[in-house]
Amino acid sequence: MLSPTEPAVPAPYLRMPHAGRGLAVGLFGGSFNPPHAGHALVAEIALRRLALDQLWWIVTPGNPLKSAHELAPLAQRIVLSEKIARNPKIKVTAFEAAHHVRYTADTLALIKARNPGVDFVWIMGADSLRDFHRWQRWREIVLTFPIAVIDRPGATLSFLSSVVAKTFDYARIDEGDAPLLARMRAPAWTFIHGPRSSLSSTAIRKAGKG
């Protein structure tokens, strides 16, 4: 829920992006507090390696697992995301705020219900995979859409020991088949290696206080 004192979010960002039937669309969600070149790198790798037609850059109102104390206003994070996400295939959106959803499982259920015939894949950084089993209804997320895990510094090997990697080991596909992932039926996931950025939103916020 947005604070009444926060700047208003422009109406177009509160609407779910349009995707035609048959398109392959990546879903890249996060607080983006602030967004940075590392996020853009993950998005670009996903677009290329997953052969996506679109990527929805979903700026969330807030992460239930993170403190909202240092969270910048949603409108501000959208503006900064637009400056970072320059690829025309990337659609910056904050539709979750309009539907009052806080959990990824609810977001994905809403997207699936409203977009029959569209092939979606959930995109996440490898650093998020370590705590993925703490997410609300995480098994439901894995069973909703295929998942692409993008390499992040310090997470290349540790992801293998994560609860979700062990639980759904049988559903992992070869990285070479990543272009087919969006067309697959969940559960299906892959780990994508590639260039990595050491940037982090937490470090940027701390540096700004210095």
Side-chain angles (χ1 to χ4, degrees):
M1 185 79 63
L2 298 180
S3 167
T5 60
E6 284 194 18
V9 174
Y13 293 106
L14 297 176
R15 294 192 289 267
M16 191 178 294
H18 172 74
R21 286 176 175 268
L23 293 186
V25 179
L27 303 171
F28 184 35
S31 302
F32 301 112
N33 184 44
H36 53 69
H39 294 132
L41 180 61
V42 168
E44 291 291 342
I45 290 172
L47 278 166
R48 184 175 69 254
R49 298 287 298 278
L50 299 171
L52 300 175
D53 298 300
Q54 290 182 16
L55 182 140
W56 293 2
W57 181 295
I58 305 171
V59 186
T60 65
N63 185 334
L65 292 181
K66 296 181 180 179
S67 170
H69 179 65
E70 296 183 329
L71 190 64
L74 180 57
Q76 178 181 327
R77 290 181 282 127
I78 290 171
V79 170
L80 294 174
S81 292
E82 286 283 19
K83 292 180 179 179
I84 290 288
R86 305 306 296 260
N87 192 313
K89 289 185 177 181
I90 298 177
K91 314 296 180 184
V92 176
T93 178
F95 69 87
E96 287 176 312
H99 294 277
H100 307 294
V101 291
R102 294 185 66 218
Y103 296 106
T104 298
D106 295 322
T107 297
L108 299 190
L110 178 66
I111 291 172
K112 187 172 185 178
R114 294 199 169 203
N115 296 274
V118 179
D119 295 317
F120 290 101
V121 55
W122 177 253
I123 298 159
M124 62 192 301
D127 49 339
S128 296
L129 198 63
R130 287 176 296 212
D131 295 322
F132 189 63
H133 61 284
R134 295 177 56 208
W135 293 25
Q136 185 90 346
R137 310 198 314 274
W138 64 273
R139 288 182 176 83
E140 184 178 323
I141 295 172
V142 180
L143 296 173
T144 302
F145 293 135
I147 297 175
V149 181
I150 311 296
D151 201 0
R152 287 281 290 155
T156 306
L157 298 177
S158 61
F159 88 93
L160 287 172
S161 61
S162 69
V163 173
V164 66
K166 290 181 176 179
T167 304
F168 288 95
D169 178 67
Y170 70 92
R172 184 182 179 187
I173 69 165
D174 188 86
E175 185 176 353
D177 292 326
L180 307 174
L181 184 63
R183 312 297 184 182
M184 295 181 177
R185 187 172 182 175
W189 67 281
T190 194
F191 187 93
I192 297 179
H193 298 81
R196 295 173 295 173
S197 169
S198 60
L199 291 172
S200 80
S201 296
T202 302
I204 291 173
R205 289 197 306 273
K206 288 181 178 178
K209 290 180 177 181

